[in-house]
Each structure stands twice: as C-alpha cells, then as structure tokens.
Amino acid sequence: MVEAGRPALLMYCQHVLGMGHLVRSLALAESLAARFRVVFLNGGPVPHGVPRPSGIDFIDLPPLGFDAAGHLVSRDRRRSAERALDRRRELILTTFHRLRPRAVVVELFPFGRKKFASELLPLFEAVHAAGPERPLLVTSLRDILVTGRRDQERHDRLACTLANRFLDAVLVHADPRFARLEDTFHPAERLCVPVHYTGFVTARPAPVPSPAYRLVVSAGGGLVGVGLFHAAVEAHALLFERTGLRTLLVAGPFLPENDWLALRENARGRAGLELRRAVPNLEAELARATVSVSQCGYNAALEILRTRVRALVVPFSEGSEDEQRVRARRLERLGAVRVLEPERADGPTLAAEVQALLDFTPDPVALDMDGAAHTAELLETLLATPEGSRTLDHGMA
C-alpha cells in the first residue's frame, strides 16, 4: 500500500451519535490529501448524501455507534458489537502494517472514545513498536470536551497518562481565544504533550447570505433531536399565524424511522411547514434563512457564525453531555446567539423565543476558521521536526 510521492497518512474517525466528528474529519482529510496520501478508517455509518472527498482511500470498519442512552451498539445487524470490535481491531492493525504511514491521526482518543480503547491502544502500541522511524502519532480534538462524567477525575487522569505515553502532539481544532484545552480538561498530573491550536475546521467556503422569510430547524444527524422537532412543529403553528414565518425542518439521516413517521404525522396539514430528511447544504439553507433553531454542536456553531443568521440554540445536554451547553453559553456571551435550555423547549416557549429573535442582531465574531489548511501545514512541519523538538506551541501547565 506504499506509493511514491506523497507521504502516507492514516486517519481514524469514529462518530457515535451525530455527524459532527465525521464532517470535521472529512474536511480535514480533504485538506490533507493535497499533501499526503490519506487512508481514512471510518468507524460509523455514512449517511446518504454525505459526500466522500475524492483522492482519499476509505476503509469502512464494521460500523459501531451509541444509542440514545450512550450504549455501544452495532450498526450492522450481521454482527454484535463484540464481534465488530474484534474485526475492526484486525482491520486497523492490518491496514497500519501494510500502509506504513508517516503519520497517524486519531480523532478524540484518549480524551474521549474510551469504549474503543480495545482497538486503539493496539494501534498506539504498533506505532511505538515501529522503531526509530516510527510514524508521528497525534490526536485530533474539537474545541470543547465533555466534563460531566461521574468519573471525570479518573477519566482525565487516564487520558493524560495515555497521552503522555503515546502522543507526539494534540491538535485542538479551535481558536484559543474562544476555547483552550485546559478549560475542559483538568488532569491532576501535567500534560507534557505539545498542544497546537489549528483554528476551527469548516468544510467549504461560506455561502453568500440571501435571506428569505423562513425559519430553519435542525439537530445535526437527528438521533437526539426528536423532542426539539416536535416542539418546533407546535411552535410553527403559532408563529405562522402571528407572523407568516414559514418553517423548513431538516430532520437528519439518523432520526429513527419511527420518530420520522410520527413527526410527519404531527406535521400533516400544517400550512407553511416543510419537512425534509436532509438537504444538500444546510449552511446554504441557513444563509437564506431569517432565523435558525438548532442544537449547538461544533458544526452547527460554525455554520451560525459564518452565515450570521439570527440563531436560537437549544443545546443537547442529556446525561454527561455538557459540551454543547458550554459552547452555547460562550457564543451567547459573544452576542452571537440566544440560548434556550432544552427542558424549556416546548411549543409555546419556542414560538415566543423565535418571535423575539426576529428583533435580534447577532454581533460579528472574528475567529480563525482556516483550521483544515492549518492542520495540513502543521503536520508537515511536525514531520520535518526532529523528535523531542516538536514544541511549536505550549503544552498545558
């Protein structure tokens, strides 16, 4: 699998609830492919309509994900989760040994994805067993980590230990003026691995705004958006009567089929309301919208900032998942969005908040959005830097 020319790079991505990690990793892979031969290990289902960038070799592992309760489940009825993990581990190691990459980029682990340690720790061991010319090993992180686990102190301690043992660098895909790793990562010991801030990763040039009088409602992949969607259907009836505001509701490819059918039934006969499973480019829809209601994942936040749409965010925050709430409140402090806590998101409240949003003008927020290009440049620089001297940025104190 080694070819002359571009150095080989092995990239691992596992999305479990939504599409945020997949969309970001695909944008990174597309940028990296200009400088590297990228082999992309994909660990979850790829919804219809999500384009795979050209020039990248994809290896689809037996798909795994989380259910709404956070349990690891197989997305292939032919295999149990346990059998899928066994096969995945074999494929990952076989691919690594055949490819002999110059760099390995793993999304989130060991700062998250601990349920996938049985396939990733063997890969990390194989990297270090490759000898003096072993590949560069880095992890790729979003702006904000989850901090609400019951065993958070233990989780951070183990993540720090594994990072110090195995990693050459941590890439944080954020502008440090908005979020720094130490804001949501608090290990008792010092993280000694260099931390590099790449800027935020976006998939395509920002669309040109051309507003129409419409509300766009979305929730990423849709797996955990059903409550928001039903509230939005009820809110639409009130808003359309009061203001004439039309609504486009984008349910997402991961919304369970039973929930999709129930949502369609609830929306039946409501004038001015359009339901769609997916759209080719959600950001373009936001650029044409007057207002947006969404959750507050990484990609949703960037789409809001780039289009400067009037946005109400209802952050997903069930169980230990507090990442969206943290991001939402930071954006609110910058004057970019308004926030509605999910427990208050019923139809009448949502309608009132959206109506108030019509008089809201979001403040411009200037953040680095060129993270994909910066990541490619950074990896080239790290590969050209002797091991032990890769300190282009400050590690955590």
Side-chain angles (χ1 to χ4, degrees), residues 160-176:
C160 187
T161 298
L162 291 174
N164 286 339
R165 177 181 174 189
F166 288 111
L167 296 180
D168 295 301
V170 174
L171 310 184
V172 181
H173 301 305
D175 186 320

Side-chain angles (χ1 to χ4, degrees), residues 2-3 5-10 35-37 96 99-105 127 132-138 168 379-386 390:
V2 178
E3 65 180 27
R6 295 170 299 165
L9 181 147
L10 183 62
R35 302 167 186 250
F36 299 91
R37 184 207 166 187
F96 171 77
L99 183 64
R100 300 199 298 275
R102 289 288 311 283
V104 176
V105 179
V127 168
E133 299 300 317
R134 71 167 180 83
L136 181 78
L137 178 59
V138 305
D168 295 301
L379 287 174
E380 273 198 337
T381 301
L382 290 173
L383 283 170
T385 304
R390 295 168 176 158

Side-chain angles (χ1 to χ4, degrees), residues 47 139 204 207 372:
T139 194
R204 53 177 70 89

